[in-house]
Amino acid sequence: MAKPKPKPESKSIPQLLKAPTGIQGLDEITGGGLPKGRPTLVCGSAGCGKTLLAMEFLVRGATQFNEPGVFMAFEETAKDLTQNVASLGFDLNDLIARKKMVLDFVYIERSEIEETGEYDLEGLFIRLGLAIDSIGAKRVVLDTIESLFAGLPNPLILRAELRRLFRWLKDKGVTAIITGERGDETLTRQGLEEYVSDCVIVLDHRVSDQASSRRLRVVKYRGSTHGTNEYPFLIDEDGISVLPVTSLGLQHAVSTERIPTGIARLDAMLGGAGYYRGSSVLISGTAGNGKSSLAAHFVDAACRRGERALYFAFEESPSQIIRNMRSIGINLEPWVKKGLLFFQATRPSFAGLEMQLTMMHKKVNTFKPHVVVVDPLNGFVIGGNEVEVKSMLMRLADFLKTNQVTSLFTSLTSGDKPSEVTDVAMSALIDTWLILRNIEIGGERNRALSILKSRGMAHSNQIRECLLSNHGVELCEVYVGAGGVLTGSARLAQEALEQAGKLTRKQETERRQLELESKRRALEEQINAMRAEFVVRETEALKIIGQEQAQEAQLLRERVEMGLSRKADAATIKQKKRSK
């Protein structure tokens, strides 16, 4: 028998060493960080965040990964840089004192270079080398390269020195970031840096519909796969956070756990248990139908379970929402004070769609909510940007599902559109869709709720009247008349008719029971009378029978005695007795 051939050992594919940046989202896009020991070019127009990204790369490296760094600036002084990043919580003076960072400003005067006619980078190499060796730096930032080569009019010399700079950084084994200004038709003004860099990141600051947004794109990354899309990023008090949209998709896990809606009858309509955890819910309807009230019930129920709830409000301030919900018996303020509920209220026009999405992502990542409410979605629709809004909401819904966060969205439906159509056209992204509508009957407008769809569960197909009372949202029983579902005063009239009919039927039943009882008593009395009469007649009959039997016995005795007196024989007398 032939021996089986041994399986060939799987060879591990060598991976490019990377230096994590510590910047939220950027490491995910780059597959782990920037190329370790190689230069990376970060370019873009003025105000797009090049210097801040480079500075955060150094600060995170020193504080999180124990990699000291050198920041060499050619435009801003060390004092200005220290003050500029202090608002982000970066204490450069402390890092410098602990020998975690060297901050150096190199002043270059172009006029002096023009007078002497000589310029090379040898002095820079010596200065930068001393700074690296003084703290054992692993990371280096040069900001910006245009200032460094501004005094070189000869393009041939410029290109030679530029190549020498990148080669020198590689020989030192430091992970470097070189920032550069965007050119007219090239990524940089010189048009050469992107070719000699191992990694190129382009930052962009654009304005669309009077709303600004920042984007990041990895143009190239030698020796590594990377995300190729444009990614929105946010600059706030915590630094830079990038939204890695390519990480979203349809691979998220699902849960079979059900969570209450906050309204018992709505839970009953949804199979008796409420929404699936991690699912997406849409409540649509015209203005004033109670969409925010249903959202408040959902949030209140989550907080009562001890879960955290995040409420993104785009129409009302938090204090206004809290005040309005008190009128229907829902007090959200205690949950805010306990830290279980957080409101983030902004106008949709405060920032572009990508920036809004990035801010939502960041808040979800920091607050770690169990449920999220977005109220409403329509504010994002401006002009003809429905496609962009749908793309944004798709990424948000996928992100929340990936994190097993149950999301509830409200959408305002225009009066001239069918209730099954939303302005943002996101019905395909939704697992459970509740529709609120107005029903006009009898000169009244009343609210009604129905479930258009709820994936993965049996749900009611009835339309329920929806009342806003002092105890919150109440769903009434269904009353159907000749014209359909009855609401408002028509429903009250139907209830009154049903109550009157019920009372009439009850009275008729009681009357029949009394009549039956009377007949029963009469029959029993008749039976008792007949029994009494029978007893009397029975007694009389028994008496007569007794008398007749006594007379018959007496007659027999007399006959016997007569026979004895006539001397009859004994056999004849016995025979007479037997015959009697």
Side-chain angles (χ1 to χ4, degrees), residues 217-502:
R217 182 167 67 96
V218 181
V219 176
K220 79 171 185 179
Y221 199 136
R222 288 174 180 164
S224 173
T225 58
H226 58 88
T228 58
N229 294 336
E230 282 191 331
Y231 304 92
F233 70 94
L234 178 67
I235 298 177
D236 59 9
E237 65 278 1
D238 297 321
I240 292 178
S241 55
V242 186
L243 174 60
V245 295
T246 53
S247 65
L248 309 180
L250 296 175
Q251 304 302 320
H252 51 267
V254 296
S255 172
T256 57
E257 181 186 356
R258 304 281 284 275
I259 60 174
T261 65
I263 304 171
R265 278 194 170 171
L266 181 55
D267 290 339
M269 293 177 69
L270 292 166
Y275 311 125
Y276 279 120
R277 183 175 294 281
S279 63
S280 55
V281 182
L282 174 65
I283 302 176
S284 64
T286 54
N289 271 348
K291 299 180 294 297
S292 298
S293 300
L294 288 175
H297 267 290
F298 179 58
V299 166
D300 182 65
C303 294
R304 289 182 184 277
R305 298 191 301 270
E307 298 180 357
R308 290 184 297 278
L310 181 57
Y311 198 116
F312 293 106
F314 297 102
E315 277 189 350
E316 300 176 283
S317 66
S319 58
Q320 186 176 358
I321 294 174
I322 292 173
R323 183 204 63 186
N324 294 345
M325 292 305 111
R326 282 200 191 101
S327 65
I328 60 172
I330 302 176
N331 189 6
L332 300 177
E333 189 171 7
W335 308 128
V336 176
K337 292 181 178 179
K338 289 182 179 181
L340 292 176
L341 174 60
F342 184 86
F343 286 94
Q344 181 162 305
T346 57
R347 287 291 183 187
S349 57
F350 172 76
L353 294 176
E354 301 292 357
M355 292 299 293
Q356 290 281 8
L357 182 60
T358 305
M359 290 188 291
M360 289 181 182
H361 272 240
K362 182 178 180 182
K363 195 60 191 178
V364 170
N365 287 329
T366 55
F367 189 64
K368 303 294 183 184
H370 298 84
V371 301
V372 165
V373 171
V374 181
D375 179 33
L377 300 174
N378 303 76
F380 296 107
V381 180
I382 302 173
N385 68 338
E386 289 87 353
V387 176
E388 290 82 0
V389 173
K390 183 178 180 180
S391 175
M392 164 198 168
L393 297 177
M394 181 185 299
R395 285 180 276 173
L396 177 60
D398 285 345
F399 170 72
L400 295 175
K401 285 185 176 182
T402 301
N403 289 275
Q404 284 291 292
V405 178
T406 310
S407 56
L408 188 147
F409 305 91
T410 68
S411 176
L412 179 65
T413 303
S414 302
D416 57 345
K417 291 185 178 181
S419 56
E420 292 81 5
V421 177
T422 62
D423 290 340
V424 293
M426 64 171 298
S427 58
L429 309 175
I430 296 302
D431 299 308
T432 299
W433 189 353
L434 309 181
I435 293 181
L436 290 167
R437 67 184 73 186
N438 284 323
I439 296 179
E440 297 185 16
I441 185 172
E444 295 179 341
R445 298 183 61 154
N446 299 290
R447 302 176 181 91
L449 180 144
S450 63
I451 302 174
L452 183 62
K453 73 171 183 179
S454 191
R455 292 170 176 163
M457 68 177 73
H459 56 275
S460 173
N461 63 349
Q462 294 180 328
I463 299 176
R464 297 289 185 102
E465 184 177 1
C466 183
L467 299 178
L468 297 181
S469 67
N470 294 332
H471 305 290
V473 176
E474 295 181 359
L475 300 180
C476 303
E477 292 289 351
V478 179
Y479 288 89
V480 181
V485 177
L486 302 180
T487 60
S489 59
R491 176 180 57 79
L492 295 176
Q494 179 69 18
E495 287 180 345
L497 288 174
E498 290 188 1
Q499 289 294 334
K502 184 178 180 181

Side-chain angles (χ1 to χ4, degrees), residues 56-297:
E56 188 165 354
F57 169 72
L58 284 190
V59 173
R60 303 293 182 195
T63 57
Q64 297 179 11
F65 308 108
N66 194 28
E67 292 189 358
V70 174
F71 193 102
M72 184 165 285
F74 303 102
E75 289 185 344
E76 296 181 89
T77 64
K79 180 180 179 181
D80 291 338
L81 283 171
T82 302
Q83 293 175 347
N84 291 343
V85 300
S87 60
L88 305 178
F90 298 160
D91 190 351
L92 301 188
N93 291 326
D94 177 68
L95 293 175
I96 293 172
R98 293 191 291 120
K99 295 191 178 301
K100 293 288 186 179
M101 179 183 290
V102 170
L103 192 58
D104 193 8
F105 170 64
V106 178
Y107 177 73
I108 299 175
E109 181 58 49
R110 182 172 181 177
S111 59
E112 295 179 359
I113 299 173
E114 291 176 350
E115 290 176 1
T116 59
E118 295 180 359
Y119 181 76
D120 60 32
L121 298 180
E122 196 61 38
L124 174 69
F125 295 158
I126 296 174
R127 187 166 179 171
L128 185 57
L130 290 175
I132 293 173
D133 296 338
S134 65
I135 60 171
K138 303 295 183 182
R139 304 186 179 201
V140 169
V141 170
L142 301 179
D143 183 46
T144 66
I145 200 167
E146 280 75 26
S147 300
L148 185 62
F149 293 104
L152 287 178
N154 190 331
L156 296 178
I157 298 178
L158 185 149
R159 292 190 176 190
E161 290 297 305
L162 190 60
R163 288 193 181 94
R164 194 157 72 100
L165 170 63
F166 279 74
R167 194 181 305 113
W168 186 88
L169 291 171
K170 278 189 176 182
D171 293 340
K172 291 293 289 185
V174 294
T175 306
I177 286 183
I178 296 96
T179 65
E181 294 290 339
R182 189 75 178 264
D184 295 332
E185 298 180 357
T186 56
L187 295 180
T188 59
R189 291 182 182 178
Q190 310 300 336
L192 181 65
E193 297 93 323
E194 56 263 37
Y195 295 103
V196 296
S197 301
D198 289 86
C199 178
V200 178
I201 299 175
V202 177
L203 305 183
D204 182 27
H205 191 191
R206 66 187 67 171
V207 177
S208 178
D209 294 326
Q210 299 181 356
S212 66
S213 62
R214 291 182 170 91
R215 307 288 182 94
L216 177 148
R217 182 167 67 96
V218 181
V219 176
K220 79 171 185 179
Y221 199 136
R222 288 174 180 164
S224 173
T225 58
H226 58 88
T228 58
N229 294 336
E230 282 191 331
Y231 304 92
F233 70 94
L234 178 67
I235 298 177
D236 59 9
E237 65 278 1
D238 297 321
I240 292 178
S241 55
V242 186
L243 174 60
V245 295
T246 53
S247 65
L248 309 180
L250 296 175
Q251 304 302 320
H252 51 267
V254 296
S255 172
T256 57
E257 181 186 356
R258 304 281 284 275
I259 60 174
T261 65
I263 304 171
R265 278 194 170 171
L266 181 55
D267 290 339
M269 293 177 69
L270 292 166
Y275 311 125
Y276 279 120
R277 183 175 294 281
S279 63
S280 55
V281 182
L282 174 65
I283 302 176
S284 64
T286 54
N289 271 348
K291 299 180 294 297
S292 298
S293 300
L294 288 175
H297 267 290

